[in-house]
């Protein structure tokens, strides 16, 4: 009989990894299948990425989808996997009232960790070549306090993400903001950068002194081995969009190959078997119901 899948909280996974001196490794997904593949590969958690979820709908990552739509993607994923989902909740979908509602809804859906960023609503994806305006520090701290007051369980984990480096405000501003966010109740901070090197993130880590766990997203500085990141003071690494980008490349090449060659012989050794798909669907368990 297929059983509902249970999962540990993100907080407990982080504690276990910290005790081992290891990082929590998280990978971006946009649906349950991606989540299941992430779990099978051995990731510790799945990032319900706003970029991935909106790209899967062929829409920009620009606060176009609603909270309900992002939640649905995260909740479908969480239901299918035995590792925690870390939900990217953008700006919290509005003001303090929206943030409280968001926490109630995500927690009720079994999500144990959310990450909210200090951009203005509606937001634009970090990597878009445009100026980003940040919410002022006090207003974002107010949203954090509301989020922490809104949570029903002590286990719920809130990551405050600053876009200070993205906005060119420098490491000092990033430190000031993250300090204020932790004082407001954030359980961890995410320091994002779109620099081609990890230098400014390293500078941040050196001055941060492990005041709270630090999450990083090494997209534009991919040459940071996870073991080195841990030594540098990182607690969680999110590989936010590599899965989406791999999916796009693979589907594109596969579709082109079928049309170009007129048959699929060349592909068969490189693509998953139908049995593999059945396994991911846990079909054998479902079929036991036929003769129950
Ligand atoms: C996401 O994956 O949606 C993120 C990370 O928020 S980034 O795209 O780098 O902003
Ligand atoms: Mg996002």
């Amino acid at each position: 009989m297929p059983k509902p899948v249970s999962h540990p909280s993100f907080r407990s996974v982080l504690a276990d990894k910290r005790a081992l001196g290891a990082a929590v490794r998280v990978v971006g997904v946009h649906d349950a299948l991606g989540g299941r593949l992430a779990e099978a590969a051995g990731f510790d958690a799945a990032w319900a990425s706003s970029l991935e979820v909106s790209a899967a709908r062929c829409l920009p990552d620009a606060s176009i989808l609603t909270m309900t739509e992002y939640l649905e993607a995260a909740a479908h994923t969480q239901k299918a996997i035995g590792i925690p989902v870390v939900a990217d909740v953008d700006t919290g979908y509005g003001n303090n009232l929206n943030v409280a509602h968001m926490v109630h809804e995500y927690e009720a859906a079994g999500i144990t960790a959310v990450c909210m960023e200090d951009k203005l609503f509606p937001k634009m994806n970090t990597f878009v070549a445009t100026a980003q305006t940040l919410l002022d520090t006090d207003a974002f701290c107010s949203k954090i306090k509301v989020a922490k007051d809104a949570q029903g369980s002590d286990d719920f984990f809130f990551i405050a993400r600053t876009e200070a480096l993205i906005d060119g405000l420098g490491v000092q501003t990033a430190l000031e903001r993250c300090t204020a966010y932790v004082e407001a109740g954030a359980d961890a901070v995410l320091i994002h950068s779109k620099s081609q090197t990890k230098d400014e993130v390293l500078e941040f880590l050196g001055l941060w002194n492990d005041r709270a766990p630090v999450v990083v997203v090494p997209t534009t500085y991919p040459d940071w081995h996870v073991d080195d990141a841990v030594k540098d003071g990182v607690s969680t690494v999110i590989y936010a969009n590599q899965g989406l980008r791999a999916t796009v490349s693979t589907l594109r090449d596969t579709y082109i190959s079928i049309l170009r060659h007129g048959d699929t012989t060349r592909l068969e050794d490189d693509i998953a078997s139908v049995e593999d798909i059945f396994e991911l669907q846990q079909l054998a368990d479902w079929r036991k119901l036929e003769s129950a």
Side-chain angles (χ1 to χ4, degrees):
M1 161 78 91
K3 293 268 189 320
V5 185
S6 62
H7 60 273
S9 68
F10 179 77
R11 186 181 291 279
S12 68
V13 169
L14 178 69
D16 290 350
K17 287 288 169 181
R18 271 168 93 80
L20 294 170
V24 181
R25 293 206 266 184
V26 189
V27 75
V29 303
H30 55 267
D31 59 17
L33 178 59
R36 195 157 273 182
L37 291 167
E39 180 181 12
F43 276 95
D44 305 307
W47 168 245
S49 153
S50 66
L51 177 65
E52 291 223 7
V53 172
S54 44
R57 296 273 301 271
C58 292
L59 288 167
D61 178 19
S63 302
I64 296 171
L65 291 177
T66 63
M67 183 207 78
T68 315
E69 291 170 301
Y70 284 116
L71 172 58
E72 186 179 50
H76 280 162
T77 303
Q78 186 62 89
K79 243 186 259 175
I81 63 177
I83 54 175
V85 164
V86 180
D88 174 5
V89 296
D90 284 348
T91 62
Y93 311 106
N95 65 15
N96 288 0
L97 286 68
N98 302 89
V99 168
H101 179 56
M102 176 275 289
V103 171
H104 294 155
E105 294 294 302
Y106 274 71
E107 211 181 0
I111 306 291
T112 62
V114 297
C115 175
M116 190 170 81
E117 65 198 47
D118 56 6
K119 294 207 285 257
L120 294 182
F121 176 89
K123 70 79 183 263
M124 180 56 71
N125 180 266
T126 293
F127 292 114
V128 177
T130 182
Q132 299 281 2
T133 312
L134 302 197
L135 189 60
D136 81 48
T137 304
D138 287 347
F140 193 67
C141 286
S142 173
K143 287 170 90 167
I144 295 170
K145 285 184 193 135
V146 166
K148 291 305 290 178
D149 280 351
Q151 75 184 51
S153 145
D154 288 346
D155 231 11
F156 195 71
F157 195 90
F158 186 94
I159 303 166
R161 160 174 165 179
T162 188
E163 298 276 292
L165 299 180
I166 302 294
D167 203 24
L169 298 174
V171 170
Q172 203 51 47
T173 301
L175 283 164
E176 284 161 20
R177 280 187 170 259
C178 287
T179 302
Y181 299 166
V182 170
E183 279 165 9
D187 298 294
V189 296
L190 187 155
I191 179 79
H192 205 1
S193 163
K194 59 178 176 182
S195 166
Q196 297 303 307
T197 72
K198 55 185 174 297
D199 295 353
E200 58 183 5
V201 174
L202 285 178
E203 191 186 337
F204 174 93
L205 287 163
L207 296 165
W208 180 250
N209 257 328
D210 206 22
R211 270 175 259 176
V214 176
V215 182
V216 297
V217 186
T219 303
T220 52
Y221 40 98
D223 58 334
W224 199 6
H225 192 281
V226 63
D227 296 343
D228 295 328
V230 171
K231 284 187 204 123
D232 292 329
V234 168
S235 83
T236 298
V237 184
I238 300 178
Y239 304 95
N241 53 41
Q242 287 77 5
L244 172 69
R245 289 154 58 202
T247 302
V248 168
S249 306
T250 303
L251 288 184
R252 185 178 281 141
D253 291 351
T254 302
Y255 295 161
I256 287 171
S257 169
I258 295 170
L259 291 181
R260 179 170 301 151
H261 298 294
D263 67 48
T264 66
T265 323
R266 281 170 192 77
L267 291 174
E268 293 300 333
D269 287 345
D270 293 329
I271 58 179
S273 64
V274 174
E275 286 67 32
D276 195 353
I277 306 299
F278 289 163
E279 189 130 341
L280 286 162
Q281 294 170 309
Q282 298 175 331
L283 179 64
D285 284 344
W286 283 94
R287 290 213 63 200
K288 286 182 194 147
L289 296 175
E290 290 171 344
S291 54

